[in-house]
Amino acid sequence: MRLIRLASQMAAVAGHLSRRGRRVGLVPTMGALHEGHGSLIRRAAAENDIVIVTIFVNPLQFGPREDFARYPRTLRRDLALASASGADIVFAPSVSELYPPGFQTAVRAGSLAARWEGKTRPGHFNGVATVVMILFALTRPSRAYFGQKDYQQVLIVKRLVRDLKLPPAVRMLPTVRQPDGVAMSSRNASLTSSQRAHATVLSRALRLARARIRAGERRAAPILRAMRRLIRGTADARIDYVALVDAATLEPQARLHGRVAILVAVWVGRTRLIDNLLVEVS
Ligand code: AMP
C-alpha cells in the first residue's frame, strides 16, 4: 500500500490509472478509521481494480465552535486498518495542500442541506461538497463509497454528482454497529464510559420508532413523542433533533408513507452523535 501526501502526485497517479483503464474505488474519510470505514474499503476492493482511501480532516466542514482541533488524528493506525481492509493507496494531504493560499472557490449544496445537519451546522455541507469535488478531481474514481450513517451527506453527494455531471457512481453501504447497537463513529472515542453506555439511546430510539411503524402506526407525532421521552429520560443526553422524513427529500412527514428515514441527533455530554434508520411504509 502506498501513502501519498501531495495533490500533484495523487493527480499524476490517478491520471496514469485512468489511462490504463483501471477502475478506481474511492473511500473518503476523516481518519480515525474503524470497522464502518473498513466495510466501505472492503466493498470498494471487491468492486474495483484499485482502492484509494482519503484521510483528510476537512476544516471547511467544521463550524467555528466545532471539534476540528479536537478531532482524533491517528494516521499510523489508520494505515494499518486501510491496508488490512484492501486499500492500495492512502491519500492523506495536509490542509495547505488542498487549500493553498488564494483558495476561494466553493461548491454550494442546495435545499437538501437546509434541514437537520445543515441547520445545526451552517456551511457544513458546502464544505463537504467542496472537498468531495476536489477529491473526485484528484482521484478520478469510477465508484465512490459512503456510509448510511451520514444519510443526509449521501443524498447531497448523489445530488452533487447528478447536478455537476460528475463521473463516479455513488454507493451507500449500511451502518456498521457495535454489538449494543451504537453506530461506529470516530466521535465515540470522546465519550466517557458512562456516556458510551448512554449513547445506546440513539439506536434504541430508532428501533422504538421502527417497531411502532411496523405495528401499524402511521402518525408521526406520537412516534416522535415516544422517541423524545426515551431520550429525555437518559442522563447526559440532550436532543438536537428527532425526525421522520421522506427518504428522498428529507422533508418531515406528518403521516408516514413510502420510504421513510428516521433521523436522530443527540448530544451526549460534549459529543454530538447522529444515527438513522430507513423503513419502507406500505
Ligand atoms: P468519516 O470519517 O466519519 O467522515 O466517515 C467517512 C465515511 O465512512 C462516510 O461515508 C461515513 O458515512 C462512513 N461511516 C462512518 N461511520 C460509519 C459506520 N458506522 N458504518 C458505515 N459507514 C460509516
Side-chain angles (χ1 to χ4, degrees):
M1 194 186 68
R2 181 165 173 198
L3 172 63
I4 296 180
R5 292 290 205 169
L6 300 180
S8 56
Q9 196 180 357
M10 185 66 257
V13 168
H16 178 72
L17 292 169
S18 158
R19 281 187 298 278
R20 295 179 60 181
R22 298 284 195 266
R23 289 165 311 169
V24 168
L26 173 67
V27 182
T29 81
M30 299 205 298
L33 299 185
H34 50 65
E35 266 313 297
H37 304 111
S39 81
L40 299 178
I41 298 168
R42 282 193 297 276
R43 175 70 75 87
E47 294 180 350
N48 300 276
D49 302 315
I50 297 285
V51 176
I52 303 177
V53 174
T54 65
I55 297 179
F56 182 63
V57 185
N58 175 30
L60 288 191
Q61 70 189 69
F62 287 79
R65 285 186 302 281
E66 291 183 355
D67 55 352
F68 175 72
R70 218 162 60 90
Y71 200 85
R73 289 162 174 85
T74 58
L75 184 63
R76 202 162 346 169
R77 276 205 299 121
D78 293 349
L79 294 178
L81 192 144
S83 169
S85 306
D88 300 289
I89 296 171
V90 167
F91 175 49
S94 64
V95 170
S96 61
E97 195 57 28
L98 288 204
Y99 306 129
F103 180 90
Q104 57 187 271
T105 306
V107 179
R108 188 177 61 78
S111 58
L112 278 172
R115 293 180 188 274
W116 320 123
E117 289 306 284
K119 183 150 191 194
T120 300
R121 309 182 66 189
H124 169 69
F125 285 121
N126 293 346
V128 169
T130 302
V131 81
V132 165
M133 185 79 209
I134 294 170
L135 294 174
F136 284 0
L138 290 176
T139 63
R140 305 214 216 165
S142 307
R143 301 186 186 86
Y145 296 82
F146 294 85
Q148 185 189 320
K149 161 84 180 1
D150 300 281
Y151 183 67
Q152 188 172 11
Q153 169 172 279
V154 181
L155 290 192
I156 287 167
V157 170
K158 283 189 168 170
R159 197 68 243 181
L160 164 78
V161 163
R162 230 180 294 153
D163 290 348
L164 301 187
K165 283 66 173 167
L166 305 177
V170 175
R171 294 257 197 281
M172 179 174 85
L173 265 59
T175 302
V176 176
R177 298 176 181 283
Q178 289 181 315
D180 64 358
V182 172
M184 298 195 84
S185 166
S186 311
R187 290 191 166 95
N188 294 347
S190 330
L191 301 169
T192 65
S193 63
S194 79
Q195 289 168 347
R196 173 62 188 74
H198 295 143
T200 57
V201 78
L202 282 87
S203 55
R204 283 188 284 125
L206 293 172
R207 288 199 306 266
L208 175 157
R210 184 174 62 188
R212 294 274 176 107
I213 295 168
R214 285 182 176 163
E217 181 61 84
R218 293 293 176 266
R219 296 165 302 155
I223 301 174
L224 292 171
R225 271 200 300 277
M227 293 174 77
R228 290 200 188 98
R229 201 178 316 123
L230 176 70
I231 299 168
R232 286 205 188 105
T234 303
D236 289 335
R238 183 162 59 81
I239 297 172
D240 184 353
Y241 59 78
V242 299
L244 297 167
V245 304
D246 179 297
T249 65
L250 301 180
E251 295 298 317
Q253 290 188 341
R255 274 201 80 78
L256 305 178
H257 58 275
R259 231 162 110 80
V260 173
I262 315 169
L263 308 176
V264 294
V266 175
W267 286 95
V268 179
R270 287 179 59 201
T271 306
R272 190 169 167 281
L273 302 175
I274 61 172
D275 201 351
N276 69 83
L277 278 182
L278 296 173
V279 276
E280 200 66 53
V281 181
S282 48

